[in-house]
Amino acid sequence: MRNPLDGGQCSVYVWYAMDVTNGSCRTNEPCNGGVSDPASGALVGQSTSASRLHRGVHYGSTYVRPTIKGRGTPANPPNRFESTHCEPDEAEPRALEDDGGRSSAAADATTAGGMAGGENHADAPNLAPSQHAAPPPLPATRLYADNSRTLINRVDSPDLGFRWTINPYRGCEHGCIYCYARPYHEQLGFSSGLDFETRITVKYHAAEILRRELTHPRWAAEPIVMCGVTDAYQPIERRLGITRACLEVMAESRQPVSIATKNRLVLRDLDLLKSLNSHQAASVAISLTTLDPRLSACMEPRASCPADRLATIRRLAEAEVPVSVLLAPIIPGLNDCEIPRLLQEAAAAGATAAGWILIRLPHQNRFLFMDWLRRWYPDRARRIEAAIRQARAGRLSDASYGSRMRGSGAHAQLIRRTFNVFCERYGLHSYDRSQTAAKQLSGAAFRRPQDDGSQMFLFEAGEEEGELMMP
């Protein structure tokens, strides 16, 4: 098989179950568990008993999938909610190569038409590229209008210190390979891979909906976290300004809000944050994963670099806006050794509190992250995976309340103790899972915003100029 995003002679994800007794594969079974090592063929983190059925990711060859500049992953694994997916026939490209590629254009058009159900979509990938074909263009970000009629989401999770969130966007251009929000994109019919970074749904009327919900007589001015899933200050926010429009409504009503971001764009709204903070109604948490710009560039390709995040903490502190640092995620074997220096630099920049979250890799995330490790850190991939499993009782993800954020076992305990020791050394308040910056905010000064009565946007239909409406 060939990766439609690569345009080269390389293998792609094959989601399979392998019986080690005869090496047979079944590609229609869901996959869980270990990852196959391209060099030895062995499954990492799994027993090799001949009587046991193993599941994992098969890479097919030692060829490493090329990266896409500015994107976290070049892969688009199948949607776990869909029973079928397209896999190109490897024999077809060979036939094209035999005739010198003369039939490539026709074959490509036929393939693209088949993928789109007969329609010619401009973004349909070339599923059978000729060996001599030019590489495909870099995937562009496509925006889809999200016609949700509510904005404030209730969070019923006992291990989070807040009850309400706002997410102006679903999907995120930052492209962080570890992002726990990737699987949510599959609920929209997309893939958790490249689709998560390039197909973004946008709540264009978020500010109007927020104004309407804040005027509701039952709203009790509880703190809102922005955002609970994807970053409100991802790159497209610079052009669309939806997050700022929401903050303007909050500033008008003095609604307490806590922002978590890894983008320096939050400084654009410093005037609104200062206004909210005058009523003890604003705080910001800056996510900081590493001080190594090279690691950050490949792990979080479109997020602000570490130096800019520290500068953002400094600017917020100088403006007397409460700012904390969030070490999220901590990846055992990769960035856990940076915990002391991360806390030291954040405290020096002006942060007053800190929190941390252990990496968790649910659903397809485990395969995306392991593929990323083998592309960027092939010499350390198996060691890092083993360290993650040690911190999660032999697994890569744990959805259990109480342990999903912090892990379990000796390795997780070591991370927790290291974090607490250096928080105390550098004078940082350590947030546990039940305490967040949002709980320090006050809604005493809240006043309901004036409702302009305009709700016609709820009935608007059609296509925005240059954007696509959700089907």
Side-chain angles (χ1 to χ4, degrees), residues 14-220:
V14 179
W15 310 88
Y16 79 108
M18 171 176 283
D19 190 339
V20 296
T21 57
N22 56 19
S24 61
C25 296
R26 297 200 294 260
T27 57
N28 291 327
E29 294 194 18
C31 48
N32 296 288
V35 177
S36 62
D37 181 15
S40 63
L43 291 171
V44 179
Q46 294 281 354
S47 168
T48 55
S49 170
S51 62
R52 185 176 177 182
L53 189 67
H54 298 267
R55 294 186 175 97
V57 181
H58 174 61
Y59 287 83
S61 73
T62 57
Y63 186 94
V64 178
R65 182 181 296 104
T67 61
I68 298 178
K69 184 178 181 180
R71 300 298 182 184
T73 178
N76 253 339
N79 189 312
R80 73 183 188 275
F81 297 114
E82 297 179 359
S83 58
T84 59
H85 64 277
C86 179
E87 292 184 0
D89 187 356
E90 190 172 359
E92 187 174 356
R94 291 177 180 174
L96 297 178
E97 293 163 13
D98 291 340
D99 68 357
R102 289 186 296 273
S103 304
S104 61
D108 293 349
T110 302
T111 306
M115 278 287 291
E119 299 178 3
N120 186 14
H121 282 226
D123 66 336
N126 180 2
L127 295 181
S130 166
Q131 183 177 8
H132 308 290
L138 295 178
T141 300
R142 301 182 67 182
L143 306 182
Y144 297 77
D146 187 332
N147 294 321
S148 299
R149 299 195 177 188
T150 60
L151 185 69
I152 304 177
N153 309 300
R154 181 167 183 166
V155 179
D156 295 318
S157 179
D159 57 356
L160 294 177
F162 51 86
R163 294 182 59 200
W164 307 97
T165 66
I166 284 178
N167 296 282
Y169 306 100
R170 290 195 278 188
C172 186
E173 273 194 299
H174 281 159
C176 304
I177 191 60
Y178 52 73
C179 185
Y180 69 89
R182 285 181 178 271
Y184 294 111
H185 225 47
E186 294 179 304
Q187 299 175 7
L188 303 177
F190 299 131
S191 170
S192 59
L194 189 63
D195 281 356
F196 177 77
E197 309 170 29
T198 59
R199 295 174 179 263
I200 314 297
T201 67
V202 181
K203 299 177 183 178
Y204 287 101
H205 301 293
E208 293 94 327
I209 299 174
L210 178 61
R211 178 180 294 275
R212 174 169 53 86
E213 292 182 333
L214 292 182
T215 59
H216 197 284
R218 287 187 297 178
W219 177 249

Side-chain angles (χ1 to χ4, degrees), residues 349-428:
T352 58
W356 69 281
I357 298 175
L358 184 69
I359 187 172
R360 53 192 173 104
L361 301 170
H363 306 299
Q364 316 293 47
N365 275 28
R366 70 191 68 176
F367 307 106
L368 293 170
F369 185 77
M370 292 306 157
D371 174 64
W372 176 86
L373 276 180
R374 282 171 169 77
R375 281 187 284 116
W376 289 99
Y377 297 95
D379 57 329
R380 302 165 58 186
R382 297 183 65 177
R383 185 166 67 252
I384 293 171
E385 180 183 2
I388 296 174
R389 290 183 182 276
Q390 288 177 6
R392 289 207 173 273
R395 294 173 290 181
L396 293 175
S397 182
D398 182 7
S400 303
Y401 293 134
S403 62
R404 62 174 184 165
M405 299 294 185
R406 297 290 192 262
S408 58
H411 202 132
Q413 287 287 346
L414 178 61
I415 293 174
R416 181 182 294 106
R417 290 172 182 172
T418 301
F419 178 84
N420 290 335
V421 165
F422 285 94
C423 274
E424 185 176 355
R425 175 174 296 183
Y426 299 121
L428 294 169

Side-chain angles (χ1 to χ4, degrees), residues 263-274:
N263 200 306
R264 63 181 179 182
L265 184 59
V266 67
L267 294 176
R268 177 201 63 184
D269 300 334
L270 191 57
D271 57 330
L272 298 175
L273 294 174
K274 290 170 66 176

